Structure formats: structure tokens, C-alpha cells
Amino acid sequence: MVDYVDLSYEPNENDLVVMYFVEKAVDCESLEKACEEIAKESSIGTWTDILTMSADIAERLEPSAFYIDPQNQIIKIAYSEELFEADNMSQILSAIAGNIFGMKVINNLRLLDITFPKYIVSKYKGPKFGINGIRKLTKVEKRPLLGTIVKPKVGLNEIEHAKVCEDAWMGGLDIVKDDENLTSMVFNKFNKRVEETLKARNRAEIETGEKKIYMPNITAKLSIMKERANTVIDNGGEYIMVDIFTVGISALQDLRDYLEDKNVVIHAHRAMHAAFTRNKKHGITMLALAKIMRLIGMDQLHTGTIVGKMEGDKHEVLETNQVITESKIKGNHITMLDQEWGNIKSTLPVASGGLSPLHIPDLIKYLGSDMVYQFGGGCHGHPNGTETGAKAIRQAIDAVLEGSSLEEKAKTSPELKDAIKKWRK
Ligand code: CAP
Ligand code: MG
């Protein structure tokens, strides 16, 4: 009654299409059989035929595995949009990224990419600001936005935290963020930290004449996140940061709705992502997850550095950045599918992790300027501390944008010279 594999099927514009890497189990008779089981378990079927199935249900809802590439072990499945509650991303993932990862019929399964049909895209707000909106708010017109993360990750009290931020802003950085595991601690309470740090931010803006941004980490239960977002707004803040995978997809959707009529940029930290994105044979690509985060409406999203301390090769990072910044994607159908974004604004990619000023030439070469570059240890680890670390970062970006080498620039920039001395291998 139900044919899950139909190699003659041509997806229509209403289908949601998913591309998977599939390594079948040794005792599974064929890739086609594995493909059939994936299509079945992710939609209307189960391990055996059932008497409660009907021709009508099959006709309306059966997906079609329409592409099987044994050489690259890639399959594509087209799902009727009726299988999904369009504005419920949790349900969509429970279907196409749910039970199937655990089936014995496959050894490994990686969700490579998803093409969302127009009807589903239309149900999501997307980013409120977009790259242009962020540049307008931060008054940083062309160069990358430069930021740091307060280090140690946790441990400072509210006043010490605010001082580190003020030093970074005075040294020339645009943005300072909380680390992913700093929320409201016994030694550093969220409300007091936000109050003290935004006062420091106001002082730094007056001193430098530049717009300065603080990104407090509101990660918590949804009700608390809403309270914390209001605390940030009440203290004059314009950004919040959230650990998107530890708070969960439905909390993010609700938070984005809640912030719709508030002037707040959402910075998405992806802590925990590597538990399911890193394995090239199993899990979900950061590219697919980044698409979901753009749909839900993250304004800024960590996507990798290529050159820093975290895993993430050049090809993957560049394609991930492409799918969250461009309005129309023509995929190669090996690592990336097509995607029309309609009116969904762009998400600004963030490169962070193991970066120092010495990485800036490569960062600009590979990733360009429509980025946020963040330096944690690469700022506070400067031989003369945070403010000089921030100056070295600004000097390095100026050097690259002027077309001179870091060494050349260092001849007239002692802070950069000291950074080179410490970190040049
Ligand atoms: C960087 C960082 C970032 C990760 C994020 C950290 O600090 O604050 O959270 O790099 O990685 O805690 O490691 P450093 P990703 O600059 O001192 O390394 O963006 O890949 O998720
Ligand atoms: Mg961190």
C-alpha cells in the first residue's frame, strides 16, 4: 500500500526535502532498504505493516525517497508539508531528526541539509535586525565587529566583571559578551552584573565616542529568560545572548516571539552543538542547524573560525555562513540543498574560539568582513592585559584593512608588537 522509495518522484515547491548521509548496517540488505526504513520511521510507518494504515493516508502523507547515491551514500527524501505543523520546529525535528538516528538498520546517519518550502518559511519571523540592522545599531559600517568574552569564564564578581568589560571597550572593542556558562552565580548575580556592566558601557561610550555593546547571557528557564531580557532592557541594553541548544528549540521560538516588539538583538551561542555536529558520519550538520536558527530568528550565530581551537573545516564553515547570509541558495546537492529565503533577513556569522590578533589576516581572507570576530584568551591573555589586548586587536584589523602586514603595523603599534611576541609560533 505504501511505497516509500520512488526514484521517479520530482519534489514540488510544497515539499520539505531532507538530504542524509546513510551508512547502512551490515545485515541490512541494501541502501534502498535502509532508505525505505528511514522514510517510513520519519513519517507514517513503523517496523511492520499495520492494519490501521489506509490507502487514503498513504496517498496523502507517504514521503518519497527520490534520490539514492550509493557512491556518496547520500539519499534525499521529499515529505509532504501536511506531515508538519509548519510553525512548530520541535515537531518538524521530531519527524526528520528523531527516531531514525537510533534504528538498527543503519550504522550511521547524518542529516546534511533541509530545504524548507515557502509555506513553512512564511511561518517564521527570522532575524529582526539582519546584518544591515546590526551595522546600523552598532555604528560599525564596514569592518568586522570585534568582541571579547570575559575570562575567566566564571569566577569574577559583578564589579570585577564590569571592569574587565570597561577595559575591553576602552581598548577599542565593540562588543563584550558573557561566557556560555556564566548566568547567575552565587558570586556573580545576573541583575547586579547587568546593572554594573551597562553603567561601565555608558562610561566607555562617553570616553571613546564609539557605540559599545554588552551581550549578557540570559540562558535559563524560559520564564526567567524573559525576566532577564527585561532587566537588560530596563538597564539600557540592546543585546542578549542565549545558549541555543541547552535552552532548546521551543524556548527559542517563544523567546523570539516575546522579543518581537522589543529593540533587542539575539546573539546565539551554540554550546553543545559538537555533540551532534562534529561526527562526519552521524548527527546533524551545523549547516542544517544554522538554517533552523535563521528561520527562528537568531540575529548573530556562532558558526566556526576555520583557524581557531574548535573543529570545523573551511568548506563547512563557509557553506554554513553562506546559508545564513544569502537570500537565495543554489546548492551543490552533495553538502548543500537549494533554499529560497523570501523576506527572511540574514543572520550575522560569529567566529570565536582560540583566536588572537595574529589570526586576523586569515580570518579576513577566509571569512571576510561581514562577521563578528571574538577573542577571549586572545584579548585577556595579552602580556599587558585586557585593554592592551583590545588595542592589539584593533591594530591588527586596521593593518589588514590598510593592506599592510601585522609585522609592519607592529613597528608603530607596541600593543600589537607584544601580542606578536607572545603568540607568533
Ligand atoms: C572562546 C569561547 C567560545 C567558544 C565558542 C570559549 O574563548 O568563549 O565560547 O570558542 O566556540 O568559551 O571557548 P577563547 P564556537 O577565545 O578564549 O577561545 O564558536 O565554535 O561554538
Ligand atoms: Mg565561551
Side-chain angles (χ1 to χ4, degrees):
M1 185 185 300
V2 190
D3 293 326
Y4 291 99
V5 178
D6 177 357
L7 299 179
S8 65
Y9 181 77
E10 289 188 12
N12 63 54
E13 62 172 8
N14 301 320
D15 287 339
L16 184 147
V17 175
V18 187
M19 179 162 69
Y20 297 97
F21 166 85
V22 182
E23 185 181 273
K24 72 172 187 63
V26 172
D27 57 0
C28 173
E29 62 191 68
S30 68
L31 182 58
E32 181 165 334
K33 178 63 182 163
C35 185
E36 179 188 349
E37 293 306 311
I38 293 165
K40 196 187 284 185
E41 185 64 40
S42 57
S43 61
I44 56 176
T46 185
W47 63 277
T48 180
D49 59 326
I50 47 178
L51 299 185
T52 44
M53 179 58 76
S54 70
D56 168 54
I57 291 173
E59 174 64 26
R60 276 188 300 115
L61 297 177
E62 72 178 8
S64 298
F66 64 95
Y67 178 89
I68 297 177
D69 170 358
Q71 188 188 346
N72 293 302
Q73 295 175 274
I74 286 176
I75 67 166
K76 292 181 203 170
I77 301 174
Y79 296 88
S80 143
E81 68 184 349
E82 264 193 83
L83 278 167
F84 305 108
E85 185 182 3
D87 64 352
N88 181 345
M89 189 55 75
S90 299
Q91 182 270 342
I92 293 172
L93 289 173
S94 294
I96 63 173
N99 290 356
I100 52 178
F101 287 116
M103 297 195 302
K104 288 180 179 172
V105 75
I106 50 177
N107 278 346
N108 283 297
L109 179 69
R110 193 186 198 203
L111 192 160
L112 299 173
D113 197 2
I114 308 163
T115 294
F116 291 98
K118 285 197 182 80
Y119 174 70
I120 289 182
V121 172
S122 72
K123 294 293 184 186
Y124 291 85
K125 293 181 171 65
K128 181 172 177 153
F129 289 82
I131 293 175
N132 297 336
I134 288 169
R135 285 198 175 282
K136 191 159 163 261
L137 184 147
T138 58
K139 301 183 175 58
V140 176
E141 286 168 15
K142 292 209 180 314
R143 62 170 171 78
L145 280 76
L146 302 173
T148 188
I149 310 101
V150 174
K151 304 284 178 180
K153 297 171 89 91
V154 293
L156 300 178
N157 66 31
E158 302 89 346
I159 303 296
E160 293 162 339
H161 181 99
K163 176 68 172 70
V164 170
C165 294
E166 189 160 4
D167 290 347
W169 285 315
M170 292 304 291
L173 296 184
D174 307 300
I175 293 174
V176 185
K177 67 182 277 295
D178 289 350
D179 225 330
E180 67 279 354
N181 56 331
L182 175 62
T183 51
S184 195
M185 329 306 291
V186 289
F187 49 78
N188 188 320
K189 291 294 182 192
F190 180 87
N191 289 2
K192 184 164 169 48
R193 177 169 81 248
V194 166
E195 188 187 331
E196 291 303 328
T197 305
L198 283 171
K199 280 194 284 190
R201 187 281 303 269
N202 297 341
R203 289 194 298 270
E205 286 189 335
I206 293 165
E207 282 294 306
T208 63
E210 293 181 335
K211 182 72 188 137
K212 300 299 181 183
I213 296 294
Y214 172 44
M215 300 198 300
N217 184 2
I218 65 168
T219 297
K221 294 185 298 186
L222 179 57
S223 56
I224 304 289
M225 287 203 282
K226 292 177 181 176
E227 287 173 15
R228 289 180 181 175
N230 287 326
T231 299
V232 173
I233 295 164
D234 293 348
N235 282 276
E238 309 97 339
Y239 264 74
I240 55 103
M241 158 193 171
V242 57
D243 296 338
I244 52 181
F245 296 118
T246 54
V247 301
I249 294 279
S250 67
L252 278 186
Q253 280 196 255
D254 200 289
L255 182 66
R256 173 65 184 87
D257 290 348
Y258 182 74
L259 296 177
E260 175 60 7
D261 60 354
K262 301 175 188 343
N263 197 41
V264 173
V265 179
I266 305 175
H267 177 96
H269 193 290
R270 60 176 185 170
M272 191 169 77
H273 79 94
F276 27 87
T277 60
R278 180 171 192 168
N279 182 331
K280 304 307 176 206
K281 286 191 167 185
H282 190 81
I284 305 180
T285 59
M286 185 63 210
L287 182 145
L289 292 168
K291 265 188 172 175
I292 289 165
M293 292 305 158
R294 177 175 180 180
L295 269 182
I296 293 175
M298 301 299 106
D299 292 296
Q300 296 180 181
L301 174 66
H302 287 236
T303 53
T305 67
I306 303 174
V307 296
K309 74 182 183 188
M310 297 292 192
E311 187 272 339
D313 72 35
K314 181 175 164 198
H315 189 77
E316 279 197 350
V317 173
L318 291 176
E319 281 198 337
T320 300
N321 289 357
Q322 184 185 353
V323 298
I324 62 172
T325 54
E326 295 183 5
S327 57
K328 187 179 169 67
I329 305 292
K330 191 80 189 113
N332 58 19
H333 290 259
I334 296 283
T335 54
M336 182 165 66
L337 291 174
D338 300 344
Q339 183 64 57
E340 296 271 354
W341 283 106
N343 299 326
I344 297 286
K345 290 194 174 89
S346 52
T347 294
L348 183 56
V350 178
S352 176
L355 298 179
S356 82
L358 281 59
H359 289 104
I360 288 178
D362 281 344
L363 287 168
I364 296 281
K365 182 171 75 179
Y366 295 132
L367 298 172
S369 287
D370 267 347
M371 292 288 301
V372 181
Y373 293 143
Q374 294 178 170
F375 309 79
C379 177
H380 314 294
H382 188 281
N384 303 321
T386 300
E387 185 167 346
T388 47
K391 284 180 181 168
I393 293 163
R394 275 298 282 268
Q395 289 160 359
I397 205 80
D398 291 346
V400 175
L401 298 180
E402 289 156 12
S404 70
S405 71
L406 298 188
E407 279 71 13
E408 190 56 36
K409 183 75 177 181
K411 289 175 184 167
T412 55
S413 311
E415 295 84 356
L416 179 57
K417 186 174 175 217
D418 289 340
I420 292 171
K421 197 167 157 213
K422 173 165 185 176
W423 286 311
R424 181 69 79 204
K425 291 187 177 67

